[in-house]
Amino acid sequence: MKAFAEMSKEELGSLKVELEKKYAEYKAMNLNLNMMRGNPAPDQLAMSNDLFEGLEEKTGFKTKAGVDCRNYGLPTGLPEIKELFAQILDTEADNIFVGNASSLNMMFDTLMRACAFGEIDSDKPWFQIEGRKWLCPTPGYDRHFKVTEKLGFELIPVPMTSTGPDMDLVEELVKDPKVLGMWNIPVYSNPDGIVYSVETCERLAKMKTGAKDFRLFWDNAYVVHHLYEDEATHGSVPDMLGLCAKFGNANRVYEFASTSKISFAGSGLACMACNKDNMDAAVKTIGIQAICSNKVNQLAHSVMFPDLNAIKERMKKHADILRPKFEMTIKVLHDELDGTDICHWHEPKGGFFVSVFVLPGTAKNTVAMCKDLGVALTPAGATYPYGNDPKDSNIRFAPSFPALEDINKAVQVFTLCAKLSAVNKLLEA
Ligand SMILES: Cc1ncc(COP(=O)(O)O)c(C=O)c1O
């Protein structure tokens, strides 16, 4: 198809008629499709159905060292699970704190501790810092943004590039002592599926910050979530704890991960990883908050996933389900949009999302049209701080949950709405 920007008003006018005819056909279908939930599909969840089966017979509810998981104890987690997360994150078991089911919860709590009590290298609790700021790579994860917004940070957007956040800008912004930290999804970012380059990681680990208590929140939610064998064998980004230590900034990073997209979403295991000094401080406070986490769930996971190999095997099975869904999404985007020059997107090799940039000024309208045709998408703007995409361009898809045929239809509808919104916009100009 010809680039829309090169079409005459007459050509755009006849294209509009054609697209509106298709729109009416879809409207008559009374579709009810949903591409907004980043949830594992039922067949992915079913792989873990036997998580608790025979747990008593297999373990007597005891860890390998004989600790009874039905009782209080092991406040930082089962050694088996600390070792497993250490292998997943390429760090040491001593650096791991195993929490309950949600890594987002651990991120919130970690920030809350810094706000209420300060970090080990803070002069004062962050709540006492007027005009505190937080860097937010965009597009990014709306729930991250909401956490820092709720805790009173000014959210500073930093554009993502194909190798991670724009590091020239980051290095400039962190000179401000009010900038206290930064969100990061280093592997298969939500929503673009971008993997940080080694250079990006190194620059983040060694950059000079105005705040001596600056923190990177390193959300490794998709660290083992590869769609292709090749990516899985070539590994992900470097161990950030080790890298920060290497550049003399050992306290700089808190890492997070969970099994939400490995076993059960919201009912798996989450962890935080950090160096010893941060860990000692965190454990003192967490120990007041709770006696220990859910160890029976940890025990069950340790049986299902005795080592990193078991995780990799499981992730291959997830990939077999997810890969066709991602490929279907990308194929329809190419089939329907190539040549139009109104949209662009990154093609993820893993993770849970695909995000498309439509013609600036048309994302909200595209999402509204999709809704009118019975296709639910993440609200336009959600991938930006305060829900405000200044270009009104980015739209996130979650292809994991719907069936393949539904994805095909939903993305067809999306491309139709993106084209019609673009034509309308260009005709207005
Ligand atoms: C980047 C990212 N971090 C965290 C989460 C939530 O993780 P959890 O279920 O461990 O709280 C998600 C869920 O979509 C996510 O995309």
Side-chain angles (χ1 to χ4, degrees), residues 101-104 107 141 144 185 190 219 221-222 258 260-261 266 353:
S102 165
S103 61
L104 189 68
M107 293 175 225
Y141 180 34
H144 281 169
I185 308 168
N190 175 355
D219 180 358
Y222 302 111
S258 80
S260 278
K261 275 64 182 264
F353 301 98

Side-chain angles (χ1 to χ4, degrees), residues 82-359:
K82 291 174 72 161
E83 180 54 37
L84 181 68
F85 273 125
Q87 288 177 19
I88 290 174
L89 295 175
D90 192 18
T91 185
E92 308 297 321
D94 282 348
N95 295 335
I96 301 285
F97 183 98
V98 188
N100 285 311
S102 165
S103 61
L104 189 68
N105 190 161
M106 299 187 84
M107 293 175 225
F108 187 97
D109 279 355
T110 303
L111 257 166
M112 194 68 187
R113 284 193 299 276
C115 285
F117 311 115
E119 291 289 349
I120 47 173
D121 33 20
S122 297
D123 290 330
K124 53 184 169 186
W126 289 0
F127 274 147
Q128 290 175 17
I129 299 176
E130 286 297 319
R132 55 190 174 276
K133 298 176 192 166
W134 199 266
L135 302 190
C136 300
T138 54
Y141 180 34
D142 53 347
R143 290 181 190 272
H144 281 169
F145 301 157
K146 285 196 180 121
V147 168
T148 30
E149 185 182 351
K150 186 78 190 165
L151 295 178
F153 290 83
E154 182 190 339
L155 310 185
I156 312 290
V158 178
M160 284 290 277
T161 73
S162 59
T163 54
D166 176 342
M167 280 309 300
D168 291 342
L169 182 58
V170 170
E171 284 164 350
E172 208 39 53
L173 290 169
V174 295
K175 289 179 187 162
D176 179 350
K178 298 259 165 123
V179 171
L180 299 175
M182 176 177 176
W183 290 114
N184 294 275
I185 308 168
V187 181
Y188 306 130
S189 65
N190 175 355
D192 287 311
I194 287 169
V195 180
Y196 283 19
S197 68
V198 173
E199 191 201 334
T200 297
C201 297
E202 285 185 353
R203 288 174 73 176
L204 286 167
K206 74 174 161 199
M207 67 192 179
K208 286 217 162 24
T209 61
K212 60 181 190 262
D213 48 356
F214 177 92
R215 291 292 184 273
L216 296 166
F217 272 47
W218 203 248
D219 180 358
N220 239 328
Y222 302 111
V223 62
V224 288
H225 301 56
H226 312 286
L227 290 173
Y228 298 92
E229 193 74 15
D230 201 36
E231 309 299 318
T233 38
H234 289 102
S236 308
V237 301
D239 153 35
M240 201 55 180
L241 282 168
L243 207 56
C244 286
K246 177 177 154 189
F247 289 110
N249 296 311
N251 295 346
R252 177 168 290 182
V253 60
Y254 288 108
E255 212 170 329
F256 302 90
S258 80
T259 68
S260 278
K261 275 64 182 264
I262 300 174
S263 57
F264 292 143
S267 298
L269 303 177
C271 80
M272 175 181 80
C274 57
N275 73 336
K276 184 172 182 331
D277 291 350
N278 281 330
M279 183 65 80
D280 288 347
V283 165
K284 264 192 209 152
T285 309
I286 297 172
I288 294 168
Q289 201 178 7
I291 303 173
C292 65
S293 303
N294 179 345
K295 298 195 305 302
V296 174
N297 201 14
Q298 292 184 38
L299 183 67
H301 278 78
S302 76
V303 174
M304 182 167 270
F305 302 111
D307 54 25
L308 182 59
N309 242 4
I311 295 278
K312 285 184 175 168
E313 284 309 310
R314 174 61 58 91
M315 296 320 291
K316 274 191 213 162
K317 291 188 185 141
H318 283 304
D320 288 343
I321 293 173
L322 291 173
R323 202 182 315 106
K325 297 183 176 189
F326 274 74
E327 288 179 351
M328 169 70 79
T329 305
I330 301 289
K331 179 182 178 314
V332 177
L333 292 175
H334 277 301
D335 288 352
E336 297 296 324
L337 297 170
D338 276 358
T340 61
D341 249 5
I342 52 165
C343 296
H344 63 95
W345 58 88
H346 176 84
E347 299 188 0
K349 300 278 196 301
F352 252 63
F353 301 98
V354 176
S355 100
V356 178
F357 293 85
V358 296
L359 186 72

Side-chain angles (χ1 to χ4, degrees), residues 396-414:
R396 185 183 86 165
F397 290 129
S400 57
F401 193 83
L404 205 52
E405 196 32 53
D406 288 347
I407 293 171
N408 185 6
K409 240 188 231 128
V411 185
Q412 299 268 2
V413 167
F414 161 77

Side-chain angles (χ1 to χ4, degrees), residues 23 33 35-36 356 358-359 361-383 389 392-397 410 413-422:
Y23 192 97
L33 305 171
M35 293 280 283
M36 71 190 283
V356 178
V358 296
L359 186 72
T362 65
K364 279 204 179 90
N365 198 34
T366 301
V367 171
M369 280 187 182
C370 286
K371 188 173 176 209
D372 181 50
L373 293 184
V375 174
L377 296 178
T378 308
T383 50
D389 172 359
D392 185 28
S393 172
N394 186 251
I395 297 176
R396 185 183 86 165
F397 290 129
V413 167
F414 161 77
T415 57
L416 169 67
C417 297
K419 284 190 274 194
L420 189 50
S421 300

